[in-house]
Amino acid sequence: GGLTSKIKVYFLNGSCSNLYYVERVISASRSAVREAIEWILKGPSDEEKEDGLFTAASPGNNIRSVDVQPGVVFIDFYPSILQTSRCGVSSLKRQIIDTTSQFPLGDIVITIEGDEENPLN
């Protein structure tokens, strides 16, 4: 087993403006922020999809790195993260911010290949 904890992962519900969270169990030995983002990228389960949940992330978007520093978390993506579903980047940004803000780690800085000048930040 090992230690686990429950986190909230935010998906879109029915429309691009409605956020809804589901709980996921994560391993305490992994980065909670990284695992939470990975769940956003994976999208909802088949059962959750039947209930109208979906993600703005397109399949195959990979995280380059998650770096937790005192008072700030840097989440770095590959440029493919900007190839979003029908909802676009603003919905994906809300999913990321709402999901990661449950961790009391400070500010969240989203970069694309290290660049802070991007539509997600």
Side-chain angles (χ1 to χ4, degrees):
L3 294 174
T4 60
S5 61
K6 283 187 179 177
I7 61 166
K8 295 175 182 176
V9 178
Y10 284 83
F11 293 118
L12 299 162
N13 186 12
S15 77
C16 295
S17 59
N18 292 331
L19 282 178
Y20 180 85
Y21 76 85
V22 296
E23 289 188 335
R24 294 287 190 263
V25 176
I26 64 166
S27 167
S29 64
R30 295 201 57 213
S31 161
V33 173
R34 184 181 188 101
E35 196 159 350
I37 299 295
E38 288 172 354
W39 279 112
I40 292 171
L41 300 180
K42 286 178 192 170
S45 69
D46 289 342
E47 185 177 308
E48 291 163 349
K49 286 177 187 173
E50 289 175 13
D51 290 338
L53 298 184
F54 63 102
T55 184
S58 294
N61 290 331
N62 292 317
I63 304 165
R64 288 185 73 214
S65 65
V66 175
D67 186 17
V68 178
Q69 300 285 335
V72 65
V73 178
F74 294 93
I75 305 168
D76 192 35
F77 291 100
Y78 290 102
S80 60
I81 193 74
L82 297 177
Q83 297 165 357
T84 58
S85 73
R86 65 183 187 259
C87 290
V89 172
S90 62
S91 294
L92 178 59
K93 179 180 178 176
R94 287 183 53 228
Q95 281 184 263
I96 293 168
I97 297 299
D98 283 25
T99 297
T100 56
S101 65
Q102 70 190 295
F103 308 110
L105 299 171
D107 293 333
I108 298 159
V109 177
I110 301 170
T111 58
I112 296 176
E113 293 188 329
D115 187 359
E116 288 185 36
E117 294 295 319
N118 70 76
L120 286 172
N121 202 24

